[in-house]
Amino acid sequence: MNDLIITGIGVHALEMAEIVERINRVQPTWRLLGYIRLDGETAPAAELNGYAVLGGPEAVADFPQAYFVPCYKSQIDGIPRDRWATIVDPSSFVSRSAQVGAGCVVYPNCYIGYNARLGDFAFCLSGAIINHDDIIGDGATITSGAAIAGEVTVGAGCYIGQASAIRQKLTIGANSLIGMGAVVVRDVPPNSVMIGNPARRLRDNI
């Protein structure tokens, strides 16, 4: 088993620890050592959800053989790409033809279809649907119950809100935010906030 450390101590990190446990019950894969705080984070205790808080970003150097997996938007600069692990809950379906980048997190009951491609550090919450031939950019977040039809391109840094839906063959420009429950039926320019059904542009995403 390989040593694994979660970067960040937010609630998603605590849930991710349990996903790692679920993975290990199916096939022993990871020895979870604990968490590393980000700059500005304060741990309420030395142990969170059964695992140690190992220190701040400077503690990375103490674990030269470990792999890391980021809590939501909690990458630490200086860790090489080949040391960022991806974790996928055993209840999720990932097509054997799909490509999933480094540092991705896939929560329970997600669907990642044929020939889909996820960039590095994509974060997929429970029940997210990423259909065939979708391209999900680096650092994108697909939240619970979001449904992305086939052949959609989601740009880097996008946030696809809870229970939203995106029609097939569209492009969602980089750094856009699709609001909760929005129904997207046309291409979205970069840096847009989209709301409603059908989705309309509310403002720039700043």
Side-chain angles (χ1 to χ4, degrees), residues 154-178:
V154 175
C158 285
Y159 182 96
I160 309 301
Q162 185 174 357
S164 61
I166 300 174
R167 196 183 72 181
Q168 70 271 20
K169 299 185 178 183
L170 296 183
T171 296
I172 310 300
N175 299 310
S176 289
L177 185 154
I178 307 302

Side-chain angles (χ1 to χ4, degrees), residues 24-49:
N24 285 339
R25 284 197 289 271
V26 174
Q27 180 175 336
T29 304
W30 301 111
R31 184 184 301 104
L32 183 57
L33 303 181
Y35 316 92
I36 286 182
R37 293 181 287 101
L38 304 182
D39 285 333
E41 286 186 319
T42 301
E47 183 178 282
L48 300 174
N49 203 14

Side-chain angles (χ1 to χ4, degrees), residues 4 6 14-32 35 48-51 87-90:
L4 182 69
I6 297 170
L14 311 189
E15 294 170 343
M16 287 163 55
E18 296 184 36
I19 292 174
V20 173
E21 292 172 358
R22 287 164 56 85
I23 292 168
N24 285 339
R25 284 197 289 271
V26 174
Q27 180 175 336
T29 304
W30 301 111
R31 184 184 301 104
L32 183 57
Y35 316 92
L48 300 174
N49 203 14
Y51 297 92
I87 62 170
V88 178
D89 187 89

Side-chain angles (χ1 to χ4, degrees), residues 101-122:
C104 292
V105 176
V106 179
Y107 266 55
N109 302 311
C110 292
Y111 177 92
I112 299 174
Y114 183 84
N115 204 37
R117 287 184 281 162
L118 276 64
D120 294 345
F121 306 114

Side-chain angles (χ1 to χ4, degrees), residues 58-93:
E58 70 284 350
V60 168
D62 297 334
F63 302 95
Q65 303 304 315
Y67 290 86
F68 298 86
V69 62
C71 177
Y72 174 65
K73 295 190 181 298
S74 64
Q75 298 93 287
I76 294 176
D77 291 340
I79 298 175
R81 185 180 184 274
D82 63 2
R83 290 181 63 194
W84 287 107
T86 284
I87 62 170
V88 178
D89 187 89
S91 67
S92 289
F93 171 85

